[in-house]
Amino acid sequence: MGKAYEGGVPLAEVVRSGFVEGVHRGSVVVLDATGEPVAGAGDVTSPIFPRSSSKPMQAIGMLRAGLPLTDPADMALVAASHAGEEFHVERVTALLRDAGLTEEALHCPPDLPFGEAARETVLRTGGGPARVLMNCSGKHAGMVRTCLAAGWPLDGYWRPEHPLQQCLTATIEEFAGERAAAVGVDGCGAPVLAVSLTGLARAFLRLVAAEPGTVERTVADAMRAYPELVGGTRAEDTRLMRGVPGLLAKIGAEGVIAAAIPEVGAVAVKIDDGAARARTPVLVSALARLGVRAPILTEYAEPPLLGGGLPVGAIRPTW
């Protein structure tokens, strides 16, 4: 996998008052239950940064390295991009407190909550940016607790050469079925690995197809049992997992989303311009190719555009 991502093809159009005012390009791959590609568009074999869609595999690596979690809700939070709602912050704080740590042990930067409502609540009550409010704080809490359990130093736990990150790199490569083409720095300061959309979809399929009791199935089951901890009350991956039986889903920055359903298949999407508004309609159209339908998918199939507070158009998949 030596070549760079070539960019995608038109996947969705922005229609306002019957006029196409914009187009989102990207790539999408659809795998069946055996892992064979059954549909796709764009470049699905060259590397992209999955961003937070890699978190389920990182959680698996942490548990394998000794992360001492038994509560599935905590496991879901370690794989989360949470909205910073009160129940998220309380659980991250507890994860740290139980190990004798504070948020100062986290390398993720101080931030306001990702969720709009939670952000407004913090500001209204006189609060400000904090590490524990950052949407990756659950992952970082898991990382520092893994280091404590494994006897690894906390200093530099976010650096690619640290034993923790070496372990997580090997886990992502194992589940994607390919070597990482590049290592970057994610928005939270931890490493992010470049793999193909096909590799990303393959990884999600392996999680939902794993035998009960395996670490990978444990992570998948935890995320599906506690989807509000994975995203938030209003997060799209949370609502999708609530609305589609068996679905495992995780969004990533820059227009990425991946999903899988046991005995059905998996999908991975990358929108080239990073627009979050286009990734879910494309995901819904991809799931339809696997015969997956549910009321929540209809809701996300063509998100409305507003004019004067009223619907005047939509984001429509076109591939």
Side-chain angles (χ1 to χ4, degrees), residues 33-53:
T34 70
E36 289 298 313
V38 295
D43 184 358
V44 301
T45 60
S46 299
I48 56 104
F49 281 139
R51 304 295 297 275
S52 287
S53 293

PDB file of all heavy atoms in Angstrom, residues 33-53:
ATOM      1  N   ALA A  33     -20.671 -10.151   4.550  1.00  0.00           N
ATOM      2  CA  ALA A  33     -20.368 -10.791   5.831  1.00  0.00           C
ATOM      3  C   ALA A  33     -19.083 -11.608   5.802  1.00  0.00           C
ATOM      4  O   ALA A  33     -18.498 -11.897   6.855  1.00  0.00           O
ATOM      5  CB  ALA A  33     -21.536 -11.674   6.250  1.00  0.00           C
ATOM      6  N   THR A  34     -18.614 -11.987   4.611  1.00  0.00           N
ATOM      7  CA  THR A  34     -17.370 -12.737   4.499  1.00  0.00           C
ATOM      8  C   THR A  34     -16.155 -11.835   4.332  1.00  0.00           C
ATOM      9  O   THR A  34     -15.025 -12.312   4.268  1.00  0.00           O
ATOM     10  CB  THR A  34     -17.420 -13.709   3.307  1.00  0.00           C
ATOM     11  OG1 THR A  34     -17.388 -12.964   2.072  1.00  0.00           O
ATOM     12  CG2 THR A  34     -18.673 -14.570   3.351  1.00  0.00           C
ATOM     13  N   GLY A  35     -16.393 -10.517   4.225  1.00  0.00           N
ATOM     14  CA  GLY A  35     -15.305  -9.577   4.027  1.00  0.00           C
ATOM     15  C   GLY A  35     -15.007  -9.270   2.579  1.00  0.00           C
ATOM     16  O   GLY A  35     -14.051  -8.540   2.292  1.00  0.00           O
ATOM     17  N   GLU A  36     -15.814  -9.803   1.664  1.00  0.00           N
ATOM     18  CA  GLU A  36     -15.603  -9.538   0.241  1.00  0.00           C
ATOM     19  C   GLU A  36     -16.271  -8.226  -0.158  1.00  0.00           C
ATOM     20  O   GLU A  36     -17.404  -7.953   0.250  1.00  0.00           O
ATOM     21  CB  GLU A  36     -16.162 -10.678  -0.604  1.00  0.00           C
ATOM     22  CG  GLU A  36     -15.367 -11.959  -0.504  1.00  0.00           C
ATOM     23  CD  GLU A  36     -13.937 -11.784  -1.000  1.00  0.00           C
ATOM     24  OE1 GLU A  36     -13.752 -11.190  -2.085  1.00  0.00           O
ATOM     25  OE2 GLU A  36     -13.015 -12.232  -0.294  1.00  0.00           O
ATOM     26  N   PRO A  37     -15.599  -7.398  -0.978  1.00  0.00           N
ATOM     27  CA  PRO A  37     -16.224  -6.155  -1.439  1.00  0.00           C
ATOM     28  C   PRO A  37     -17.418  -6.447  -2.357  1.00  0.00           C
ATOM     29  O   PRO A  37     -17.322  -7.279  -3.253  1.00  0.00           O
ATOM     30  CB  PRO A  37     -15.103  -5.472  -2.217  1.00  0.00           C
ATOM     31  CG  PRO A  37     -13.837  -6.132  -1.775  1.00  0.00           C
ATOM     32  CD  PRO A  37     -14.203  -7.538  -1.434  1.00  0.00           C
ATOM     33  N   VAL A  38     -18.523  -5.776  -2.090  1.00  0.00           N
ATOM     34  CA  VAL A  38     -19.712  -5.933  -2.924  1.00  0.00           C
ATOM     35  C   VAL A  38     -20.120  -4.633  -3.583  1.00  0.00           C
ATOM     36  O   VAL A  38     -20.936  -4.629  -4.514  1.00  0.00           O
ATOM     37  CB  VAL A  38     -20.893  -6.497  -2.110  1.00  0.00           C
ATOM     38  CG1 VAL A  38     -20.591  -7.912  -1.641  1.00  0.00           C
ATOM     39  CG2 VAL A  38     -21.227  -5.618  -0.913  1.00  0.00           C
ATOM     40  N   ALA A  39     -19.575  -3.506  -3.138  1.00  0.00           N
ATOM     41  CA  ALA A  39     -19.860  -2.209  -3.753  1.00  0.00           C
ATOM     42  C   ALA A  39     -18.804  -1.230  -3.270  1.00  0.00           C
ATOM     43  O   ALA A  39     -18.146  -1.451  -2.250  1.00  0.00           O
ATOM     44  CB  ALA A  39     -21.263  -1.714  -3.381  1.00  0.00           C
ATOM     45  N   GLY A  40     -18.651  -0.165  -4.006  1.00  0.00           N
ATOM     46  CA  GLY A  40     -17.695   0.846  -3.597  1.00  0.00           C
ATOM     47  C   GLY A  40     -17.580   1.941  -4.636  1.00  0.00           C
ATOM     48  O   GLY A  40     -18.085   1.813  -5.758  1.00  0.00           O
ATOM     49  N   ALA A  41     -16.940   3.012  -4.230  1.00  0.00           N
ATOM     50  CA  ALA A  41     -16.708   4.132  -5.136  1.00  0.00           C
ATOM     51  C   ALA A  41     -15.488   4.892  -4.644  1.00  0.00           C
ATOM     52  O   ALA A  41     -15.220   4.949  -3.446  1.00  0.00           O
ATOM     53  CB  ALA A  41     -17.929   5.055  -5.185  1.00  0.00           C
ATOM     54  N   GLY A  42     -14.741   5.468  -5.567  1.00  0.00           N
ATOM     55  CA  GLY A  42     -13.558   6.215  -5.193  1.00  0.00           C
ATOM     56  C   GLY A  42     -12.370   5.310  -4.916  1.00  0.00           C
ATOM     57  O   GLY A  42     -12.282   4.188  -5.412  1.00  0.00           O
ATOM     58  N   ASP A  43     -11.452   5.796  -4.096  1.00  0.00           N
ATOM     59  CA  ASP A  43     -10.210   5.091  -3.791  1.00  0.00           C
ATOM     60  C   ASP A  43     -10.339   4.414  -2.432  1.00  0.00           C
ATOM     61  O   ASP A  43     -10.246   5.063  -1.390  1.00  0.00           O
ATOM     62  CB  ASP A  43      -9.053   6.085  -3.786  1.00  0.00           C
ATOM     63  CG  ASP A  43      -7.702   5.419  -3.564  1.00  0.00           C
ATOM     64  OD1 ASP A  43      -7.655   4.189  -3.380  1.00  0.00           O
ATOM     65  OD2 ASP A  43      -6.684   6.144  -3.561  1.00  0.00           O
ATOM     66  N   VAL A  44     -10.552   3.105  -2.423  1.00  0.00           N
ATOM     67  CA  VAL A  44     -10.788   2.389  -1.167  1.00  0.00           C
ATOM     68  C   VAL A  44      -9.603   1.514  -0.761  1.00  0.00           C
ATOM     69  O   VAL A  44      -9.684   0.787   0.226  1.00  0.00           O
ATOM     70  CB  VAL A  44     -12.061   1.521  -1.255  1.00  0.00           C
ATOM     71  CG1 VAL A  44     -13.261   2.387  -1.575  1.00  0.00           C
ATOM     72  CG2 VAL A  44     -11.906   0.397  -2.274  1.00  0.00           C
ATOM     73  N   THR A  45      -8.499   1.584  -1.505  1.00  0.00           N
ATOM     74  CA  THR A  45      -7.340   0.749  -1.204  1.00  0.00           C
ATOM     75  C   THR A  45      -6.111   1.551  -0.791  1.00  0.00           C
ATOM     76  O   THR A  45      -5.124   0.964  -0.352  1.00  0.00           O
ATOM     77  CB  THR A  45      -6.967  -0.132  -2.404  1.00  0.00           C
ATOM     78  OG1 THR A  45      -6.660   0.701  -3.525  1.00  0.00           O
ATOM     79  CG2 THR A  45      -8.111  -1.064  -2.764  1.00  0.00           C
ATOM     80  N   SER A  46      -6.153   2.872  -0.925  1.00  0.00           N
ATOM     81  CA  SER A  46      -5.034   3.709  -0.498  1.00  0.00           C
ATOM     82  C   SER A  46      -5.286   4.224   0.915  1.00  0.00           C
ATOM     83  O   SER A  46      -6.426   4.283   1.373  1.00  0.00           O
ATOM     84  CB  SER A  46      -4.851   4.880  -1.466  1.00  0.00           C
ATOM     85  OG  SER A  46      -4.560   4.415  -2.768  1.00  0.00           O
ATOM     86  N   PRO A  47      -4.220   4.626   1.611  1.00  0.00           N
ATOM     87  CA  PRO A  47      -4.385   4.982   3.025  1.00  0.00           C
ATOM     88  C   PRO A  47      -5.057   6.327   3.259  1.00  0.00           C
ATOM     89  O   PRO A  47      -4.833   7.293   2.533  1.00  0.00           O
ATOM     90  CB  PRO A  47      -2.946   5.004   3.543  1.00  0.00           C
ATOM     91  CG  PRO A  47      -2.117   5.308   2.332  1.00  0.00           C
ATOM     92  CD  PRO A  47      -2.802   4.641   1.197  1.00  0.00           C
ATOM     93  N   ILE A  48      -5.871   6.354   4.305  1.00  0.00           N
ATOM     94  CA  ILE A  48      -6.441   7.594   4.841  1.00  0.00           C
ATOM     95  C   ILE A  48      -6.264   7.538   6.359  1.00  0.00           C
ATOM     96  O   ILE A  48      -6.012   6.472   6.920  1.00  0.00           O
ATOM     97  CB  ILE A  48      -7.933   7.762   4.472  1.00  0.00           C
ATOM     98  CG1 ILE A  48      -8.767   6.544   4.943  1.00  0.00           C
ATOM     99  CG2 ILE A  48      -8.096   7.921   2.969  1.00  0.00           C
ATOM    100  CD1 ILE A  48      -9.584   6.813   6.158  1.00  0.00           C
ATOM    101  N   PHE A  49      -6.388   8.662   7.022  1.00  0.00           N
ATOM    102  CA  PHE A  49      -6.406   8.665   8.471  1.00  0.00           C
ATOM    103  C   PHE A  49      -7.833   8.422   8.939  1.00  0.00           C
ATOM    104  O   PHE A  49      -8.707   9.275   8.723  1.00  0.00           O
ATOM    105  CB  PHE A  49      -5.906   9.993   9.036  1.00  0.00           C
ATOM    106  CG  PHE A  49      -4.407  10.165   9.036  1.00  0.00           C
ATOM    107  CD1 PHE A  49      -3.833  11.374   8.683  1.00  0.00           C
ATOM    108  CD2 PHE A  49      -3.569   9.122   9.415  1.00  0.00           C
ATOM    109  CE1 PHE A  49      -2.460  11.547   8.697  1.00  0.00           C
ATOM    110  CE2 PHE A  49      -2.191   9.277   9.431  1.00  0.00           C
ATOM    111  CZ  PHE A  49      -1.629  10.499   9.066  1.00  0.00           C
ATOM    112  N   PRO A  50      -8.133   7.296   9.581  1.00  0.00           N
ATOM    113  CA  PRO A  50      -9.491   7.055  10.066  1.00  0.00           C
ATOM    114  C   PRO A  50      -9.888   7.932  11.246  1.00  0.00           C
ATOM    115  O   PRO A  50     -11.050   7.950  11.632  1.00  0.00           O
ATOM    116  CB  PRO A  50      -9.470   5.582  10.491  1.00  0.00           C
ATOM    117  CG  PRO A  50      -8.271   4.999   9.813  1.00  0.00           C
ATOM    118  CD  PRO A  50      -7.284   6.115   9.729  1.00  0.00           C
ATOM    119  N   ARG A  51      -8.906   8.617  11.805  1.00  0.00           N
ATOM    120  CA  ARG A  51      -9.115   9.454  12.982  1.00  0.00           C
ATOM    121  C   ARG A  51      -9.783   8.657  14.099  1.00  0.00           C
ATOM    122  O   ARG A  51      -9.343   7.560  14.410  1.00  0.00           O
ATOM    123  CB  ARG A  51      -9.874  10.729  12.599  1.00  0.00           C
ATOM    124  CG  ARG A  51      -9.187  11.547  11.483  1.00  0.00           C
ATOM    125  CD  ARG A  51      -7.850  12.098  11.893  1.00  0.00           C
ATOM    126  NE  ARG A  51      -7.930  13.035  12.989  1.00  0.00           N
ATOM    127  CZ  ARG A  51      -8.179  14.341  12.861  1.00  0.00           C
ATOM    128  NH1 ARG A  51      -8.360  14.856  11.647  1.00  0.00           N
ATOM    129  NH2 ARG A  51      -8.214  15.133  13.927  1.00  0.00           N
ATOM    130  N   SER A  52     -10.860   9.143  14.689  1.00  0.00           N
ATOM    131  CA  SER A  52     -11.434   8.457  15.850  1.00  0.00           C
ATOM    132  C   SER A  52     -12.144   7.150  15.515  1.00  0.00           C
ATOM    133  O   SER A  52     -12.528   6.408  16.430  1.00  0.00           O
ATOM    134  CB  SER A  52     -12.399   9.387  16.589  1.00  0.00           C
ATOM    135  OG  SER A  52     -11.691  10.381  17.289  1.00  0.00           O
ATOM    136  N   SER A  53     -12.312   6.843  14.242  1.00  0.00           N
ATOM    137  CA  SER A  53     -12.873   5.534  13.898  1.00  0.00           C
ATOM    138  C   SER A  53     -11.927   4.404  14.262  1.00  0.00           C
ATOM    139  O   SER A  53     -12.320   3.239  14.268  1.00  0.00           O
ATOM    140  CB  SER A  53     -13.218   5.476  12.402  1.00  0.00           C
ATOM    141  OG  SER A  53     -14.282   6.347  12.098  1.00  0.00           O
TER     142      SER A  53
END
